[in-house]
Amino acid sequence: MDIPSLTIDRVRQALLSRQFSASELAAAALRFAEAENAKTNAYLHFCPERAMAAARRVDERIARGEDPGALGGVPVAVKDVIVTKGVKTTCGSRLLADYIPPYDATAVIRIEEAGGVILGKTNCDEFAMGSSNENSAFGPVRNPVAPDRVPGGSSGGSAAVVAQGTAVVSLGSDTGGSIRQPASFCGVVGVTPTYGRVSRYGLTAFASSLDHIGPLARSVKDAATVLAVIGGRDPRDSTSAEAPVPDYSAHLTGDVKGLKLGLPVEYLRHLTSETGDLISRGVDQLKALGCEVREISLPATEYAIACYYIIATAEASSNLARYDGVRYTFRSATGDTLADMYRNTRGEGFGAECKRRIMLGTYVLSAGYYSAYYLKAQKVRTLIARDFANAFQEVDAIVAPVSPFPAFKLGEKVDDPLAMYLSDIFTITGSLAGIPCMSVPCGKTAEGLPVGMQVLTKHFDETTMFRLADAFENVQKKQ
Ligand code: GLN
């Protein structure tokens, strides 16, 4: 059983042909993941009992002659900001180091209903704030491709396990790029669906108007299969959409001839030469497949970072107010008064990045500054969304870089939060607009570092995004 080479289809074939059972696969996958984890620190904890119970249910289905489910027996990892009943969910924070949720996120329930086997929870930046996974209270994750480098963030663990082969697919969360950027850095596929496509019920809130759950996988097809499983309306999340969820994999025809693609001129200015070269080569390959490529303009891009770091911090300052030492486990041992207890709990529990964001967010929401910052940022957000709406009148999809540079060295940017924020420039715009966007591998630099290409489409048109990314992936695999 070569676990790192498994795909959803391969697992299915093996189970149906009785090559191995779901229980055998789960036991082997857990052993392998536990042994390999020391190399990356990508998993924070495993849930063997839950995994074995899920695998047994799949074996019982097969024994009864039933279908094992779209994810039957597939080893899955879940980012530790997504709650799992009875299984620790820390959000990468000291504040939740011992938190055991009493309920499951909707995406988790859907994964298990489809036969998925959750092996464990993955490391991430504290409360999903970061671009390198170095803001985790439980140590950084090493990039499996280059262990002296970051895996990206905040879903660094979820990207690393898929790249390392210790899970077939994983769930991450994306607020401003946290699925696409680590996918790009680790050389895997990462998908941020349309806002509202996947229920956020059970996703620990960072910035609610921007938070998404999405899949990471080693192929576009596997990512598409997972999205079809977790997507769709959920009565427990009023922002989840009624829109029907298509069978995405059925649309991966390889035919992208005549598709009109836009290349945003504003994005190409910021690129380092090697990433830029790989993206241009990718664009040429898409042209060779029969796509029509034209330059487009997204003029509000220059305001995107400022806009995002106002809106995201404002929402975060409100969402993180609940960690007060009264609920959710961690409480400071010192302090004579209630106010001291709050202050000390938050002072000791939150890491530096969360504190920075709570302060920034509180500032931009304060009475005197609300209209100068928060209100203005909301208006800019509308302009950014309008840029995309205008572009999609002309083109079917947009192709762009994911990050200005490939994976950087551990420690390289930790002391410069602004440089870290600037690296989110290409992913933040799609998040602010709420459109579907994904990263698909686009080759490697001379040093062997993966680079991802971003594909963006209009709201709820994940089908075109997957079709284009799949055709592109086929070309990449032939190289
Ligand atoms: N890097 C961005 C940030 O730090 C995005 C994080 C995310 O998408 N969760 O906010």
Side-chain angles (χ1 to χ4, degrees):
M1 202 183 296
D2 180 23
I3 293 167
S5 71
L6 291 176
T7 61
I8 295 175
D9 276 346
R10 264 184 230 149
V11 172
R12 185 180 177 83
Q13 282 157 15
L15 294 188
L16 293 179
S17 65
R18 307 288 203 269
Q19 204 181 318
F20 48 74
S21 68
S23 304
E24 284 164 344
L25 172 59
L30 278 164
R31 262 196 315 274
F32 178 67
E34 284 177 29
E36 290 291 297
N37 201 46
K39 295 182 189 160
T40 56
N41 195 30
Y43 278 99
L44 287 176
H45 26 264
F46 293 95
C47 46
E49 279 168 25
R50 184 164 180 157
M52 292 313 296
R56 267 195 305 277
R57 285 196 299 273
V58 174
D59 285 332
E60 283 160 15
R61 278 190 203 172
I62 295 174
R64 286 196 300 266
E66 292 167 18
D67 191 276
L71 298 177
V74 173
V76 182
V78 174
K79 183 176 180 180
D80 215 20
V81 292
I82 300 173
V83 302
T84 37
K85 186 174 177 177
V87 175
K88 237 188 340 187
T89 301
T90 66
C91 298
S93 179
R94 199 175 161 215
L95 267 173
L96 295 178
D98 300 312
Y99 177 58
I100 298 179
Y103 69 108
D104 275 323
T106 297
V108 164
I109 293 173
R110 291 186 180 173
I111 293 266
E112 288 190 337
E113 278 173 359
V117 173
I118 296 172
L119 302 182
K121 308 292 296 288
T122 55
N123 203 342
C124 56
D125 286 300
E126 186 173 11
F127 292 105
M129 297 175 185
S131 308
S132 68
N133 215 122
E134 292 166 295
N135 296 335
S136 166
F138 308 107
V141 173
R142 293 181 177 277
N143 189 322
V145 181
D148 58 336
R149 293 182 183 260
V150 304
S154 63
S155 311
S158 290
V161 293
V162 171
Q164 201 179 2
T166 52
V168 175
V169 294
S170 64
L171 293 184
S173 73
D174 195 306
T175 305
S178 276
I179 291 176
R180 288 158 285 159
Q181 186 253 25
S184 168
F185 280 16
C186 293
V188 299
V189 172
V191 178
T192 310
T194 309
Y195 183 80
R197 175 59 98 189
V198 177
S199 167
R200 285 181 296 114
Y201 182 74
L203 169 63
T204 309
F206 159 12
S208 314
S209 77
L210 291 155
D211 293 341
H212 305 68
I213 292 180
L216 293 103
R218 287 192 289 273
S219 71
V220 174
K221 188 173 181 201
D222 279 2
T225 302
V226 176
L227 183 61
V229 166
I230 62 175
R233 170 78 189 161
D234 172 17
R236 289 183 164 131
D237 172 6
S238 60
T239 62
S240 70
E242 292 283 359
V245 183
D247 175 6
Y248 301 117
S249 342
H251 292 87
L252 308 180
T253 56
D255 179 14
V256 291
K257 213 164 166 188
L259 219 52
K260 294 194 204 70
L261 307 183
L263 210 53
V265 286
E266 290 80 5
Y267 288 33
L268 302 174
R269 286 189 206 127
H270 294 87
L271 283 182
T272 65
S273 55
E274 245 191 322
T275 300
D277 291 348
L278 286 165
I279 299 292
S280 327
R281 194 189 62 180
V283 169
D284 288 341
Q285 290 165 336
L286 289 169
K287 282 186 193 155
L289 289 174
C291 297
E292 285 171 32
V293 180
R294 65 182 75 167
E295 286 196 344
I296 54 158
S297 176
L298 302 171
T301 300
E302 64 174 302
Y303 310 114
I305 301 249
C307 171
Y308 171 85
Y309 278 96
I310 290 171
I311 293 175
T313 57
E315 293 186 23
S317 70
S318 163
N319 278 325
L320 298 185
R322 73 191 67 179
Y323 304 106
D324 55 4
V326 177
R327 293 160 289 182
Y328 308 110
T329 66
F330 179 79
R331 177 181 299 171
S332 168
T334 58
D336 296 331
T337 65
L338 182 64
D340 279 349
M341 190 278 284
Y342 288 156
R343 236 186 325 263
N344 295 346
T345 296
R346 292 167 67 80
E348 293 161 29
F350 283 123
E353 184 60 30
C354 289
K355 287 181 190 161
R356 185 178 298 123
R357 294 194 189 201
I358 291 168
M359 285 192 288
L360 261 173
T362 308
Y363 180 80
V364 298
L365 288 177
S366 56
Y369 296 107
Y370 176 87
S371 43
Y373 295 110
Y374 184 71
L375 196 63
K376 180 136 339 134
Q378 290 291 15
K379 291 179 180 170
V380 172
R381 182 176 189 173
T382 302
L383 294 180
I384 291 170
R386 207 175 285 162
D387 277 358
F388 281 109
N390 290 339
F392 288 127
Q393 305 233 317
E394 266 186 67
V395 297
D396 304 306
I398 294 173
V399 288
V402 174
S403 160
F405 33 72
F408 43 90
K409 293 240 165 79
L410 282 155
E412 190 180 317
K413 292 191 200 295
V414 270
D415 298 326
D416 190 353
L418 210 56
M420 200 76 102
Y421 295 173
L422 290 173
S423 71
D424 298 330
I425 174 80
F426 303 133
T427 48
I428 271 173
T429 47
S431 310
L432 285 165
I435 57 174
C437 29
M438 68 183 284
S439 175
V440 57
C442 174
K444 288 185 173 175
T445 65
E447 260 186 286
L449 301 175
V451 168
M453 176 186 268
Q454 195 176 185
V455 180
L456 308 95
T457 49
K458 43 176 171 284
H459 290 109
F460 297 105
D461 190 13
E462 282 88 359
T463 306
T464 304
M465 176 181 81
F466 283 133
R467 182 157 59 96
L468 182 65
D470 169 69
F472 183 67
E473 181 183 66
N474 291 338
V475 178
Q476 290 289 312
K477 280 187 178 154
K478 281 192 203 118
Q479 288 191 95

